[in-house]
Amino acid sequence: MPDFDSLVEDVGYQGSERARIENQVILDELERKKRARTTAVPTDDNRVKQRLREIGEPITLFGERAADRRDRLIYVISQINAARGDDGMDVDHESESESEEEEEEFYSPGSLELLEARRRIAHYSLPRAQKRVAQQRIDSRMDLGRIVDIRKKVFAQVKKYAHLGTQIGDDRPISQVRFAPNNEILATSSWSGTVKLWNVPACTPIRALRGHSDRVGGVAWHPQATLSLGADVVNLVSGAGDGQVNLWSINSESPIAVMKGHQQRVCRVAFHPSGDYVASASFDTTWRLWDVNTAKELLLQEGHSKEVYTVEFQNDGALIASGGLDAIGRVWDLRTGRTAMVLDGHVQAIYSIGFSPNGYQIATGAGDDTIRIWDMRSLRSLYTIPAHLSNVSDVRFFYANNMYYKAPNDEAEGKNAREEWEYRSGLFFASSGYDGAVKIWSADDWQHLTTMKTDGGKVMSVDISSDGNMIASGTYNRNFQLFAPE
């Protein structure tokens, strides 16, 4: 049996003591960060500056944004608390009752115009939702073998997409491409501050729309543009780095209306399915809802901690989704103003959002090179697609427009063809990435179908025509490409 009493203590060994001190420093830092996360600080930028001034810190640093300034205040306060040995220091000079109120849900007063808009949106969206659900019930009773046959046929056509042509679109990068509802015109927005209209597939220019003084981030068509709308009324909307949202006709190079309100760059814009409203996402951390008829702002919606980059309406018209550089997406109910779902899962900024035609699934593309699929019924992420080798810049579902359905002469075949056409809407979607590729994915099992290479530059945007015969992409190399089935 060993004699433990005879063991000699090695008092000269200091490695264990040094390791203990280093571990304690790490633990103290982790504890400081833990307390920092629970520290209540103002969200208003002016109050953040005031608090920084009070504790002797510079109120702003070169190139510092409001969100970064708030993070610096949290860090400074946590350092002060750690030095004092306090659990927390008084951040606001306001009463405790005010801090409790900040944790409670609050509502901002809205205008009568906004109230009327919410009512109109509710009246518009409910019948469309009923029609969509009724069609989904019919589809759910479809024979499994028939579904398999439709998928095989549609995906076989999708895999035949090939490069049709490339056109130099502008002097600076193409930020977004969007097909007109009649699929005969393509709108491109550019960092040169210009929106251009092109005949497709000929790729010949129609007109350049000039009205922005900075890069144009997004462009969107009125749902009835080039169909039932006249060419002299509002057909398009664009948003740019000058903070303006412009409404355009097809026949004029000057905007019909200029809507001002955003304090910083406007990245993306979207038309409501009714055509009565426009949404815009901006670097001022808000998205806004505008009335097309009056060209006035109806709603200023906060909710993101950093810049809002993208915004998209659900096809029913009841919901809108926004995504920002805080890596968070939010789905809002336009009828009530409440948040319907928080899309929390990406680790980098969200650059694109797309609603599936089924109305309850959402695809988000982000700077973490992935596409996430979300289900609003279960309020969770369904699937994560490792989509591209670099940023996912755009995501677009295929929306089949029934006006392009061509019935065969045989009546029996016509029934099957109509069934196939209605089922294929939303059966696949396209994505673009900074790896220079456009990819197409199935929208039921989320598998990769085909990849189309562009000119090798960053692909900034992608869109699918509503007849399914063309796909367009815009690149950082100032070009746009067209793809069509061989």
Side-chain angles (χ1 to χ4, degrees), residues 49-50 66 81 84 110 119 142 145 149 161 181 202 214 257 282 303 347 353 383 407 438 443 456 477:
K49 291 180 180 177
Q50 179 183 356
N81 291 338
R84 291 179 177 177
R119 287 174 176 164
M142 191 181 300
D149 292 340
Y161 273 105
D214 203 343
S282 171
V347 295
I353 289 182
Y383 200 82
V438 172
N477 289 353

Side-chain angles (χ1 to χ4, degrees), residues 109-151:
S111 63
L112 292 177
E113 290 83 1
L114 176 59
L115 177 62
E116 180 60 27
R118 294 197 191 281
R119 287 174 176 164
R120 291 176 62 184
I121 289 172
H123 285 301
Y124 176 84
S125 62
L126 285 174
R128 289 171 64 91
Q130 290 174 346
K131 182 179 179 181
R132 171 177 57 81
V133 172
Q135 182 61 44
Q136 288 171 347
R137 286 175 178 156
I138 295 173
D139 294 342
S140 66
R141 294 192 292 267
M142 191 181 300
D143 182 70
L144 180 59
R146 175 66 176 149
I147 293 176
V148 171
D149 292 340
I150 293 175
R151 289 181 80 255

Side-chain angles (χ1 to χ4, degrees), residues 473-486:
S473 65
T475 68
Y476 189 83
N477 289 353
R478 304 171 299 158
N479 303 324
F480 68 88
Q481 295 79 32
L482 291 180
F483 304 90
E486 292 180 326

Side-chain angles (χ1 to χ4, degrees), residues 174-212:
I174 303 296
S175 57
Q176 200 165 40
V177 293
R178 290 294 182 259
F179 283 106
N182 69 353
N183 300 317
E184 296 176 1
I185 301 175
L186 181 73
T188 62
S189 60
S190 167
W191 285 10
S192 67
T194 305
V195 176
K196 292 187 177 181
L197 306 181
W198 305 82
N199 287 307
V200 288
C203 295
T204 55
I206 299 175
R207 184 169 287 104
L209 311 180
R210 297 179 175 88
H212 290 289

